[in-house]
Amino acid sequence: MTLLAAAAALVAAAAVVVGGAGGPAARVHGLGGRGWEISNGNGSVRAPATVPGTVHGALLTRGLLRDPYYRFNDEAYRWVGLDNWTYTRTFTLPPDVRKWKRVNLVCDGLDTVATILLNNVTLGTASNMFRRYTFDSTDVIKERNYIEVRFVSAVLYAAERSAAHSQYSVPPDCPPPQQNGECHVNFIRKEQSSFSWDWGPSFPTQGIWKDIRIEMYDICHLTYLTATSVYDETRQRWSVEIESFYDVVSSQLIKGELTASIPSLHTHQTYKIGLGKGEYGRIKVRLNVNQVRCQLSDAQLGKMNKSHHLTSQRYRLLAVWTLFSVSLV
């Protein structure tokens, strides 16, 4: 495992400890799993759905589509990607849900162009498959709720964006005709291969393809975390830059400690932090790695280049990352 991979593991294993000053911990209500229904634009096609998932997957599970890879089914099922689809469900929260100072609807992945409604109130829109969307639902949330995620055909959206753009050419307009694919893929922030590729057919998916949940908290909340490995060639030492972002609800300055540790490398550092009220509180620290255990195969260690990437695939830095937490006092 490279140190960069270990840094990514730290992000994946990040935990949030919110509270302090006598405040309650954050509460999360997952909206994944069964209980969803999908429907097409005119309501003539309906099917139960599981989240995370896609419209194609739900229709296939319901038996409304057969094997999409059989013969020319990619052409026969082209209508799925040309229609607009809506995900809906109801869900119930604890009776005290309105006591929380901040309640967010968090969508880790929406594929791709969508309008999100909660209890018939529009929370916002999405147009990028690869990013997380967070919608403030504090004034809308109730004990019993109804959520809608209204997707627009990615194919038609890309065509509309292309037609509206005339400043310069954005190639390719369309894939080679042998692929039977869709056009203008560069006008939408979506998985490019879903419009076809030389190795696969065209299935322009729609759906909630990652986790979706309700987050409730007071005081502050860790919303995003990155960890990047950095190598100092002059000192020949590793460090990890940790950047964390917070939604601060409290009107008072929040003081606390940020702790990061790598027990296998005997590295443990604590930083004093202060967070003021604001939607995007930001803390950036550097964790120095005191020692690194290296494992060699039958080749020598590769040298580091200026971008801090390893030039030899046989150079592996072994590190075990543990909990990264924020403790408020």
Side-chain angles (χ1 to χ4, degrees), residues 229-239 286 304 308:
S229 60
V230 178
Y231 184 71
D232 187 330
E233 293 189 40
T234 302
R235 302 173 60 195
Q236 296 187 348
R237 293 190 63 178
W238 283 97
S239 64
R286 177 168 289 196
M304 303 297 301
H308 302 151

Side-chain angles (χ1 to χ4, degrees), residues 236-263:
Q236 296 187 348
R237 293 190 63 178
W238 283 97
S239 64
V240 178
E241 286 188 351
I242 302 168
E243 196 167 14
S244 50
F245 299 83
Y246 307 83
D247 180 8
V248 182
V249 182
S250 174
S251 59
Q252 299 179 348
L253 178 67
I254 304 300
K255 296 181 179 181
E257 294 181 344
L258 182 152
T259 301
S261 65
I262 312 175

Side-chain angles (χ1 to χ4, degrees), residues 11-248:
V11 175
V16 183
V17 180
V18 180
R27 183 179 298 172
V28 177
H29 182 88
L31 298 178
R34 300 179 180 178
W36 291 85
E37 182 183 63
I38 61 168
S39 58
N40 68 336
N42 63 13
S44 61
V45 180
R46 295 180 178 273
T50 301
V51 170
T54 66
V55 169
H56 284 82
L59 296 178
L60 183 62
T61 300
R62 187 64 170 176
L64 299 177
L65 299 181
R66 294 185 179 181
D67 184 354
Y69 297 105
Y70 179 73
R71 292 181 64 81
F72 302 105
N73 278 349
D74 58 324
E75 296 182 59
Y77 298 150
R78 186 168 180 260
W79 63 272
V80 178
L82 296 176
D83 210 337
N84 301 326
W85 295 85
T86 298
Y87 276 69
T88 59
R89 70 162 293 173
T90 59
F91 63 94
T92 303
L93 296 174
D96 62 351
V97 62
R98 298 302 297 268
K99 78 172 186 178
W100 296 93
K101 294 182 180 179
R102 183 63 54 83
V103 180
N104 285 337
L105 172 66
V106 181
C107 308
D108 283 339
L110 299 174
D111 180 11
T112 293
V113 183
T115 300
I116 298 86
L117 297 91
L118 182 62
N119 299 326
N120 299 314
V121 176
T122 300
L123 298 181
T125 60
S127 59
N128 188 334
M129 177 182 179
F130 307 109
R131 57 157 289 187
R132 175 195 298 167
Y133 287 90
T134 300
F135 304 101
D136 188 350
S137 310
T138 309
D139 297 330
V140 180
I141 204 73
K142 300 186 295 186
E143 182 177 350
R144 184 168 178 80
N145 302 273
Y146 177 69
I147 184 173
E148 300 175 78
V149 183
R150 300 176 181 174
F151 289 97
V152 173
S153 166
V155 177
L156 300 182
Y157 173 85
E160 291 175 359
R161 292 292 299 271
S162 175
H165 180 82
S166 59
Q167 295 180 351
Y168 50 86
S169 175
V170 181
D173 285 336
C174 297
Q178 297 88 345
Q179 295 180 200
N180 295 318
E182 303 295 349
C183 300
H184 313 300
V185 67
N186 285 328
F187 280 91
I188 185 170
R189 290 291 294 144
K190 176 176 171 60
E191 182 183 23
Q192 302 282 283
S193 61
S194 68
F195 274 42
S196 83
W197 212 264
D198 56 359
W199 46 259
S202 173
F203 293 112
T205 52
Q206 297 175 45
I208 305 172
W209 75 288
K210 284 188 175 182
D211 186 42
I212 181 171
R213 60 192 177 276
I214 296 291
E215 292 183 349
M216 301 163 277
Y217 51 91
D218 295 327
I219 306 179
C220 80
H221 188 59
L222 175 63
T223 59
Y224 195 70
L225 174 72
T226 65
T228 305
S229 60
V230 178
Y231 184 71
D232 187 330
E233 293 189 40
T234 302
R235 302 173 60 195
Q236 296 187 348
R237 293 190 63 178
W238 283 97
S239 64
V240 178
E241 286 188 351
I242 302 168
E243 196 167 14
S244 50
F245 299 83
Y246 307 83
D247 180 8
V248 182

